[in-house]
Each structure stands twice: as C-alpha cells, then as structure tokens.
Amino acid sequence: MSGADDAFAPTADMMTAGQARAALAAAVAPVPEREAVGLFEAAGRVLAADVVSGRAVPPRDNSAVDGYAVFADDLDPAGAVELPVTGRVAAGALSERPGRRGEAVRIFTGAPVPGGFDTILPQENCRERPGGRVALPAARRGSNLRRAGEDIGAGAVVLRAGTRLRPQEVGLAASIGLARLEVYRRPRIAVFSTGDELREPGGSADGAAIYDSNRAILAGLLGGLGCAVADFGIVPDTLAAVRATLVRAAAGCDAVLTSGGVSTGDEDHVRAAVEAEGRLDFWRVAIRPGRPLAFGRVRGVPFLGLPGNPVAVMVTFLMIARPLFLALAGAVPVPPRSFPVAAGFATRKRPGRREWLRATIRRTPDGGAVAERFPREGSGILTSMTASDGLIELPEALEHVAEGDLVEFVPFSELL
Ligand code: AMP
Ligand code: MG
C-alpha cells in the first residue's frame, strides 16, 4: 500500500458508515409546519397525515369489459346459449332495473352491473342474432366483474403519514375524491461550496479555476427528496468567510450543507469555522470515497460538511446523508433496496472501511447479469457517475472480491 493510502487507515476515533448514517438520521426531527397542496403539486412531497377513504372504490360492481351481463346459471357449460338482449348500460349510467334470469344486458367497460347479474362475457366471444338476441359461450361465474370496494373499502386507511408521494400515491388520493393533501413544509437547506478555485458555471474560468459542480449536484439531490435549496454560492477559503456564511446560512434554514474544505489541509477551514460558531460532533468516517465528512451544529442548526470531490459528494450524500434529509422532510425511513449481482471484476480492499464502487449492470448471454466496475477510481471523475447505473457496496470486513462473487448493488433509482 502506498503512503497516501495509509492515511486512510481506519482509527479508533473514526465512525463506521452505519454509525454515521444512524447519528445523522437521529439528529433531526420532521419540520413542524404542514401545508395543503393540490394533487398536481403533491408528487415528491411527504404526507403529514394518514389518508382515510370516505368511499368504496369502485363504488359499485361494474364491468371490466365491453360485452354482455348475465346470470352464470343461464349459461351452458357445454356450449353456446341464446338469450334476448333486454337492456343497455354504458359507463356513468345508473342501472335502474335489476337483472332478470333468462336475459342478457348489453354493457360497457366501467358501467354499473344491474343487480343480480354475476358474470360478464366479452363482446368478442359473443354473436349477435336476429331478433335482438345474442349467442353466449360458457364462462366462469364472476368473470370480468369488478366488485364494489375491491380496490379500496370505505373507511380504509389508504396512505400513511410519512409516505413520500409518488405519482401512484397521488392517483390513489384522487381516486377517493381528494383534491388536496396535507404535506410537510419543504425543509429549507442552505447550500454552499468552499474553494478559491471554484467559479460559477456560465461565467469565465481561466488558469487553475474549475467550475462548481457540487451545488448543482446537491440541488438536484435535495429537490428529489422534497427539500428546498437556499443557495449561498461559492465561499472563499478563509476562516472569516466560511464563519460568516455559516452564520447567515443557519439563520432561517433547517440544515446547512457544504462541500469542500473539511480535510486537514491549510486551506480547509470548514471544521474550524463550525467549531467557532457551534460544535463539531464528528468528521471522520471509515468509508471510501468520502472519509472527511463533518457533522455538527451551527447556532443549533444541523450542519453537514461533505468532501470536495464531486463523486465523493454524491456518494456520501446518497449513502450517509440521505436519511437525515428524509427525516427532516418527515418521511418514514424506507431502506433503499440493494440486489445481489455477480461481480464482473476482481478487486482487493482494505478491511475496516466500507467502500462503494461505481458500476453498470451488463446482461450476459445466458440471461444473467453481472456488475461491471467503472474502470477508473478517482473521485473527481464525474463521468464515472453519468456512465454508471448505481453503486456496489463492499462491507467493512471484506478484503477481496473474485470475479463471480455476489456483491450488493444499489441502483441510483433507489436513492434519488
Ligand atoms: P477539498 O476537500 O476542498 O480539498 O476539495 C477536494 C477536491 O475537490 C479539490 O480538487 C477541489 O478542487 C474539488 N472540489 C471542491 N469543491 C468542488 C466543487 N464545488 N465542484 C467541483 N470540484 C470541487
Ligand atoms: Mg478546497
């Protein structure tokens, strides 16, 4: 191992990934305020109260197809029977008259089924006959009939407080007639980058300057978790500037999130600034990428300082910090799912720290799948993230991966 790598050896005062994640999530409570939002604004928000259905869905027994409603007992299991067609019900109509034995009623998808009829035959299986009659094949009782309340019973709790609303949850709320949902206020997260080398995208960047990618990454990540961003820009590498910005950021925000400047270099002022304006709880976690990751409080407001390299920013946000922002947003924690996949590579690893590798899933000719590791490791290589499907998590105790070993793969889609 090289000397540089030795600097990352785990020591007793380092936290594990699991400890850091748990400490962060436990350090915050949901924002107290709630608001009602319309359905079209509800996706991505977090529900603040249970939702109880005031009605059954569907409200009535109704037809799943265009066809004919009958009594199963009037059908012949051995072949076709002919019945007179005595009525017609379309979707939205109220069937005024109950069904009668020995008759068929023309019915359309979504139309309420006249009382008594217990079976619907799809029109493509039936033949119209002269004199207003229809020839009907055999069918199982109950076919193509959607029962009242089969989706939702009246009085059922259909959504729980703490649910992150996806389009399907919003649609479910619509299906029981709700136009607005009670959600938590979006947490306001103050975000800034530190570094004299950083420039704003859209402006010029000469010499050794680089464009700030971290704020754009963090804005997207936070937005996806239902948080709002308060942007405090790029802050120079001086203790005074970082302190002043921390104090301004903490006022009126629910958390402060920074990147860069948390390491041990002479130009890294974030930890000292946090200690001067609040307290630092920990700053070293046995992970790769992203070992320097600072957590504390600034004027009582939770503070999280991510490393500077853009890949480390995104990986530590997703794998360590994400539960903190979800907890602030009011979401009940749902662990992201990972899937065992065969490694399409071999690697060695230092025991004692958790590592995440950027990976793509490749289909194999035999119908299986293997995880391919991105060929370059540098945590400044942002193209490794755009080229990858997700992360492979290598646990602390693991020392090597052989080709074909099962590894845990977490798709980015589970985390965003
Ligand atoms: P630091 O932790 O501040 O030493 O930063 C580590 C590396 O990440 C350095 O090469 C920085 O130039 C780079 N870096 C820090 N902040 C950003 C940023 N906001 N966007 C892109 N690269 C950054
Ligand atoms: Mg820096």
Side-chain angles (χ1 to χ4, degrees):
M1 288 282 167
S2 70
D5 199 76
D6 286 338
F8 283 80
T11 61
D13 63 338
M14 254 193 219
M15 292 190 117
T16 65
Q19 288 167 339
R21 185 154 46 199
L24 261 52
V28 298
V31 295
E33 300 86 0
R34 300 155 174 222
E35 61 197 19
V37 292
L39 296 182
F40 287 16
E41 285 77 51
R45 304 297 298 269
V46 179
L47 200 59
D50 289 353
V51 171
V52 178
S53 180
R55 75 185 324 225
V57 180
R60 301 277 185 98
D61 290 356
N62 71 96
S63 177
V65 294
D66 293 336
Y68 296 87
V70 296
F71 283 86
D73 287 341
D74 288 336
L75 300 174
D76 179 356
V81 294
E82 249 186 60
L83 295 176
V85 181
T86 60
R88 183 180 190 280
V89 213
L94 274 184
S95 57
E96 59 305 331
R97 172 162 93 65
R100 284 196 296 244
R101 289 296 305 265
E103 295 182 359
V105 160
R106 184 80 171 106
I107 196 162
F108 298 91
T109 307
V113 177
F117 285 142
D118 55 13
T119 303
I120 318 284
L121 293 150
Q123 61 189 22
E124 53 274 22
N125 300 347
C126 308
R127 286 238 184 296
E128 281 180 36
R129 293 281 186 231
R133 297 173 68 80
V134 64
L136 304 156
R140 229 176 358 93
R141 189 190 308 279
S143 319
N144 302 307
L145 197 147
R146 305 192 284 218
R147 289 293 182 192
E150 74 173 18
D151 188 5
I152 298 167
V157 178
V158 290
L159 296 171
R160 293 277 178 196
T163 301
R164 294 175 70 200
L165 297 170
R166 301 169 298 172
Q168 54 266 53
E169 278 84 28
V170 179
L172 192 67
S175 81
I176 61 171
L178 297 182
R180 301 176 76 71
L181 289 169
E182 197 179 334
V183 298
Y184 288 102
R185 166 174 72 74
R186 285 183 198 278
R188 265 169 62 85
I189 314 299
V191 174
F192 67 89
S193 297
T194 68
D196 287 341
E197 74 280 30
L198 301 178
R199 298 289 180 275
E200 205 60 81
S204 65
D206 39 19
I210 62 168
Y211 288 114
D212 178 359
S213 19
N214 291 345
R215 273 155 59 235
I217 294 172
L218 292 173
L221 291 170
L222 289 166
L225 301 184
C227 297
V229 172
D231 184 19
F232 286 83
I234 296 167
V235 177
D237 283 319
T238 69
L239 181 60
V242 177
R243 279 181 68 167
T245 313
L246 277 177
V247 171
R248 278 197 303 127
C253 282
D254 300 295
V256 179
L257 179 61
T258 69
S259 68
V262 281
S263 210
T264 47
D266 292 346
E267 301 297 338
D268 295 324
H269 301 289
V270 172
R271 286 185 294 116
V274 171
E275 279 176 324
E277 300 297 345
R279 66 163 214 253
L280 191 66
D281 292 343
F282 63 84
W283 68 279
R284 296 201 301 172
V285 185
I287 54 175
R288 194 165 99 138
R291 183 191 65 142
L293 182 149
F295 181 69
R297 304 252 165 196
V298 172
R299 306 280 162 103
V301 174
F303 163 84
L304 185 62
L306 301 180
N309 277 306
V311 173
V313 163
M314 186 155 175
V315 172
T316 53
F317 183 99
L318 292 175
M319 305 313 288
I320 304 285
R322 184 175 171 273
L324 177 147
F325 295 103
L326 286 175
L328 259 184
V332 168
V334 179
R337 278 163 312 168
S338 61
F339 304 91
V341 186
F345 59 92
T347 191
R348 303 192 68 76
K349 168 184 161 296
R350 176 189 287 283
R353 71 184 176 201
R354 193 172 301 193
E355 296 191 8
W356 294 285
L357 310 179
R358 290 144 264 171
T360 49
I361 299 297
R362 182 170 57 79
R363 284 273 166 193
T364 54
D366 62 1
V370 294
E372 295 289 5
R373 173 183 195 178
F374 190 79
R376 286 173 298 150
E377 272 196 65
S379 61
I381 299 179
L382 203 43
T383 49
S384 66
M385 296 297 273
T386 59
S388 294
D389 298 323
L391 300 173
I392 291 169
E393 181 167 81
L394 302 180
E396 282 78 359
L398 195 79
E399 290 186 52
H400 41 77
V401 175
E403 205 170 326
D405 283 358
L406 286 182
V407 290
E408 286 296 316
F409 174 77
V410 194
F412 286 136
S413 54
E414 277 292 307
L415 298 163
L416 299 173

